[in-house]
Amino acid sequence: MRIPLLLLTLTLATIGCRKVVTTTSSPAVTTPDTLIAGMVIRTAGTWSAHTKTTTNKLAVTVSPSSVSWEVTKEEKLPGGGSGGASGSSGLSLPSPTAPWFIFVESPQRLWFFNGTSDLNYNLSDHGGSRGGPAISAGKLLPTDEKVPTDLILLLPPDLQKQFPPIPPKTDRPSF
């Protein structure tokens, strides 16, 4: 009788001494990309795009006489550090109802139109960071930066005429 009682005591003791470890995991919180290639921005707000190591942000402020923006780039560096850069600029609007817009060629290549006569760019890609006017006072300026075809089509007809003709889109044959 002593042996079964001893075995029962040992069994209960080992069961009672077990530690139950519960782990929970939750998915990493990420915000969706809102600064997407091909989009046209016509309102104030903040947009961002994320890659594994970089976050690009665009913050736009609008007043009756201007559109202002701040572009920020944050980068995770090897070894756990981080770096970043930011810059701000703006365009004067000829009127409060001018049909201004920002064309997102990519999160690193942004184009800013004042609605009538000025087109500026802010590019931060493999060629470094650079910006400036592509069209000023209604005149196309010489620049090494190629204005995207999709953007040219958004410009008023008198500005579109300053660019080489755009060939019509053709359907590619399917096999």
Side-chain angles (χ1 to χ4, degrees), residues 52-55 72-86:
K52 189 174 182 179
T53 59
T54 305
T55 299
T72 306
K73 182 176 183 177
E74 300 168 357
E75 191 168 3
K76 294 177 187 172
L77 302 174
S82 63
S86 66

Side-chain angles (χ1 to χ4, degrees), residues 6 10-11 48 65 70 77 80-81 88 121 136 139 146 150 156 167:
L6 183 61
L10 284 173
T11 303
S48 61
S65 61
E70 181 177 20
L77 302 174
S88 59
Y121 57 90
S136 180
K139 300 292 179 199
K146 184 179 183 309
D150 290 343

Side-chain angles (χ1 to χ4, degrees), residues 4 13 15 19 24 32 43 64-66 68 73 76 81 96 107-108 113 121 125 129 132 141 164 167 173 175:
I15 291 173
K19 236 184 191 180
T24 59
T43 61
S65 61
S66 67
S68 302
K73 182 176 183 177
K76 294 177 187 172
Q108 301 83 21
F113 181 61
Y121 57 90
D125 53 16
S129 294
L141 301 176
F175 295 101

